[in-house]
Amino acid sequence: MTPQAPRWIRNFVDGRFVDPDPAQIFDKSNPATGTAFAHVHQADRPVVDRAVTSARRALDGAWGRTSVQQRTALLRRAADRIEERFEEFVAAEVADTGKPVTQARELDVARAVTNFRAFADIVAAAGQESFITERPGGGTALNYAVHKPLGVVAVIVPWNLPLLLLTWKVAPALACGNAVVVKPSEDTPSTATLLAEVFVEVGLPAGVYNVVHGFGGDSAGEFLTSHPGIDGVTFTGSSATGSQVMKTVAPRVRPVSFELGGKNAAIVFDDVDLDEVLSGLSRSVFTNTGQVCLCTERIYVQRSIFDDIAAGLVERARDLRLGDPEDTQTTTGPLISQTHRDKVLTYFEMAEREGAKVLTGGGVPALGSGLEGGSWIEPTLWTGLTNADRVVREEIFGPVAALIPFDTEVEAITLANDTDYGLASAVWTNDLRRGHRVAQAMNVGMSWVNTWYLRDLRSPFGGMGLSGIGREGGESSRHFYTQPTNVCVSL
Ligand code: NAD
C-alpha cells in the first residue's frame, strides 16, 4: 500500500476553502487498512448557514442571469478538467472507499466525466412545449412554460459511489441554473472536495457549488435539510434516512427527490446460457463488494438448473481477488467501515439462525500484508432460505445473496415482487416474449433483461416503495431541478 500523509479536508463555501476549527475535526481512515489519512473539518450550523446564504447570493447575482449555453459550456470544461486530473480523483476515491483502482477508473471517475457531458447535452437540447388555446367566444391564446431553476438545492449523497452519485445530481442541477450545497458522506469526503478545486479552475462563480462536511442527524446533514433557505433536497441514501429527511423538510413543504435502498431480485429461467448468466449474476452480486443500491441480493432460479447456478456462482465467488486496492488484479475491496462490516456480520449470523446453508463465505477473510486493520468480508452465498426470512427481506448492502428455487413464471414474479422495496430487477431468459413480459411485471424503477446496471443517462432512474420518490435522469432530472411558470398570452 502507498503510505498517505495525513491531510486536511475542508469545507468549501462561497468559492473558498474555510479554515478548519480544531474543535470540529473528525478523522477519515482507509477502509482497506484501517489507517487514518485525513482530518476532516466538520461544518457547524454557522458554516452551513454561510453556504446556503452564498448559494442564494449567487442565484440572485450573475449566475442567475447565465444562459443554458454558458452553463453547459462550463460543465464541459469541468469534465475536461476532471479528465486532466483523472488519477488524482481515482486515488482519492480509492483511499476513501478501498475500492479496486480498476473500478474507480472504469466506473466511478469515468462516469463523473460522463455525467457532466451527458447532462450538458440533455439540458442544452431540452425542448419547449407550447399550445395554441381556443378562447371562449373566439380568438386564441398562446400557452408556454418558462423553466426556472428550483433554487438552492441541498445535495446529500452516500459513500458507495461517492463522486458518481454526487455528479449525477450536481451536473443537471447546475445545467438547469441552480446553486448547490452538497453534503458528502462522512465516510467519503475527498472527491466532493477535489471537485470544488475543479470548479474554481474552470471559473464557476463563487457560491454556486458549496461543500459542507459532517454527519447526518444533529450535524451537517440535518443543519442543511432544516435550513429555511433551501428550495429542495435531492438525497441518495438509506430508506430510514430518507424518512428522517422527509420529516425535516415537511414543515416548509420543500420538494424531495429520493434514491433509497433496494433488495433487488434476479430471476433466472432454465433456457439461459449458463456461463453468460453466471458472469452477469456474479457482477450484480459482488460489484463494489455488494455496495451498490442496484446489487442483487435475491436470486430466484428455476428448479431444473438450481444446482448448476448455485455451483457456478460459488466458483465465481471463490475466483474473486480480494486484496490491495491499488493492485490492478484486485476485483474486490473491503466494506466501507468496521461499523458497516459489523452490520453485515449480524446478517451473516441471522442467516444461520434462520436456517441458511452457507455455500461459500460467511465470515472475515485473513488477508495479511498490511490489510489486517481493514473492514474485509468474504463474498457469501446462501441457500435454504425463503421470502419469510429477515435476511431475504432487509437490505444488507454487502457481497451476499440468497438463492431460492421456483417452478413457474407466475411464482417467480410473485416472489420477486414480494418486497417492501422496488428499485431494480434483472430477468435472465432466452425467451424474448417472456423477457419483456416478466420485466414489465416487476414493480421496480429499473428492470433489466439479460444484463444488469446498463444505464443510458437519458432514461429515468429511481425506485418504488421504500426505494424512493421521484425519478432522475434525462428529462426527469430537468423536471426535478426546474419549476415551470406557465405563461398564457391572449392573441
Ligand atoms: P445513509 O442514509 O446512512 O447516509 C446517506 C447520507 O445522508 C450521508 O451523507 C449521511 O451523512 C446523510 N444523513 C444521514 N442522516 C441524515 C439526516 N438525519 N439528515 C440529513 N442527512 C443525513 O446511507 P449510506 O449508509 O451512506 O448509504 C447506503 C444506502 O444508500 C443504502 O441503503 C443504499 O441502497 C442507498 N443507495 C441508494 C441509491 C439509489 O440510487 N437508490 C444509490 C446508492 C446508495
Side-chain angles (χ1 to χ4, degrees):
M1 309 288 302
T2 311
Q4 311 248 352
R7 57 191 171 84
W8 291 103
I9 295 178
R10 294 181 295 169
N11 296 301
F12 181 75
V13 174
D14 202 14
R16 285 182 304 116
F17 285 101
V18 182
D19 281 336
D21 166 356
Q24 303 274 339
I25 301 297
F26 65 94
D27 281 349
K28 167 64 196 145
S29 310
N30 183 324
T33 59
T35 312
F37 67 86
H39 310 297
V40 187
H41 184 206
Q42 223 182 124
D44 54 12
R45 255 188 220 280
V47 169
V48 173
D49 183 53
R50 289 212 308 275
V52 174
T53 307
S54 78
R56 175 69 56 203
R57 214 170 25 243
L59 277 176
D60 292 343
W63 181 248
R65 294 186 293 275
T66 50
S67 65
V68 172
Q69 287 70 23
Q70 288 169 317
R71 295 195 297 268
T72 53
L74 228 146
L75 294 191
R76 290 183 211 285
R77 289 208 296 278
D80 294 346
R81 192 66 190 129
I82 295 171
E83 267 181 344
E84 286 159 15
R85 299 184 62 176
F86 197 84
E87 286 304 322
E88 275 179 80
F89 276 94
V90 168
E93 208 71 305
V94 170
D96 269 5
T97 60
K99 66 179 65 192
V101 66
T102 311
Q103 187 206 303
R105 286 193 183 116
E106 292 175 3
L107 176 64
D108 297 78
V109 183
R111 245 301 285 285
V113 173
T114 305
N115 281 339
F116 281 113
R117 292 191 178 136
F119 282 107
D121 288 345
I122 288 165
V123 174
Q128 170 70 58
E129 275 186 338
S130 64
F131 306 96
I132 298 290
T133 311
E134 283 187 23
R135 297 185 52 182
T140 56
L142 170 66
N143 270 285
Y144 63 93
V146 182
H147 290 268
K148 298 173 179 169
L150 182 56
V152 176
V153 181
V155 179
I156 301 184
V157 284
W159 44 258
N160 60 329
L161 302 167
L163 184 67
L164 185 160
L165 292 170
L166 177 75
T167 52
W168 154 255
K169 293 174 179 301
V170 167
L174 298 191
C176 292
N178 299 281
V180 297
V181 180
V182 311
K183 212 297 281 171
S185 166
E186 54 274 28
D187 287 315
T188 49
S190 298
T191 43
T193 313
L194 260 186
L195 189 60
E197 292 181 18
V198 161
F199 279 138
V200 170
E201 289 162 354
V202 301
L204 189 77
V208 177
Y209 175 84
N210 303 273
V211 186
V212 292
H213 291 295
F215 300 81
D218 199 26
S219 182
E222 194 182 329
F223 300 157
L224 181 57
T225 51
S226 62
H227 196 290
I230 59 162
D231 297 302
V233 179
T234 177
F235 169 79
T236 301
S238 64
S239 306
T241 305
S243 167
Q244 280 302 319
V245 170
M246 207 162 173
K247 283 181 202 147
T248 307
V249 301
R252 285 166 294 107
V253 198
R254 294 295 186 263
V256 293
S257 173
F258 281 172
E259 297 175 340
L260 308 178
K263 186 72 183 179
N264 310 301
I267 299 179
V268 185
F269 288 98
D270 62 5
D271 59 7
V272 290
D273 173 89
L274 282 187
D275 254 6
E276 189 188 328
V277 172
L278 287 169
S279 299
L281 283 178
S282 168
R283 205 166 71 81
S284 79
V285 175
F286 300 122
T287 293
N288 208 41
T289 319
Q291 302 166 118
V292 180
C293 54
L294 306 166
C295 273
T296 301
E297 291 193 3
R298 301 179 288 143
I299 307 176
Y300 300 103
V301 186
Q302 203 151 20
R303 200 174 299 276
S304 58
I305 57 164
F306 187 83
D307 291 344
D308 294 336
I309 290 287
L313 203 53
V314 166
E315 228 173 84
R316 305 269 170 159
R318 290 183 180 152
D319 283 348
L320 295 171
R321 288 192 56 172
L322 282 64
D324 180 356
E326 291 173 28
D327 181 340
T328 53
Q329 299 305 307
T330 297
T331 59
T332 309
L335 293 173
I336 187 68
S337 63
Q338 301 287 354
T339 311
H340 186 50
R341 181 170 70 175
D342 288 346
K343 179 191 144 187
V344 175
L345 286 172
T346 305
Y347 279 108
F348 283 11
E349 287 159 20
M350 189 189 297
E352 295 199 42
R353 280 200 307 277
E354 292 186 318
K357 178 175 174 201
V358 182
L359 299 184
T360 189
V364 169
L367 296 175
S369 60
L371 304 176
E372 300 86 349
S375 40
W376 297 89
I377 196 140
E378 289 174 336
T380 296
L381 295 167
W382 300 313
T383 55
L385 296 163
T386 72
N387 272 19
D389 294 309
R390 268 184 68 186
V391 293
V392 182
R393 304 206 69 79
E394 296 176 15
E395 182 186 49
I396 300 172
F397 221 53
V400 54
L403 291 101
I404 296 173
F406 71 85
D407 292 300
T408 66
E409 180 179 315
V410 171
E411 185 191 0
I413 292 171
T414 307
L415 286 168
N417 279 339
D418 174 23
T419 172
D420 297 328
Y421 291 95
L423 191 61
S425 62
V427 180
W428 300 89
T429 179
N430 277 330
D431 179 333
L432 182 69
R433 287 184 182 157
R434 178 157 64 188
H436 281 281
R437 199 165 56 228
V438 177
Q440 289 180 28
M442 294 292 100
N443 294 328
V444 295
M446 284 75 58
S447 190
W448 282 289
V449 180
N450 296 333
T451 187
W452 174 79
Y453 200 1
L454 181 60
R455 289 278 303 136
D456 182 322
L457 302 187
R458 294 168 297 185
S459 53
F461 182 96
M464 300 179 183
L466 280 185
S467 294
I469 296 177
R471 296 289 182 275
E472 296 195 33
E475 266 299 288
S476 305
S477 294
R478 205 169 74 99
H479 280 148
F480 181 71
Y481 294 108
T482 60
Q483 300 209 77
T485 295
N486 192 73
V487 178
C488 178
V489 185
S490 175
L491 299 175

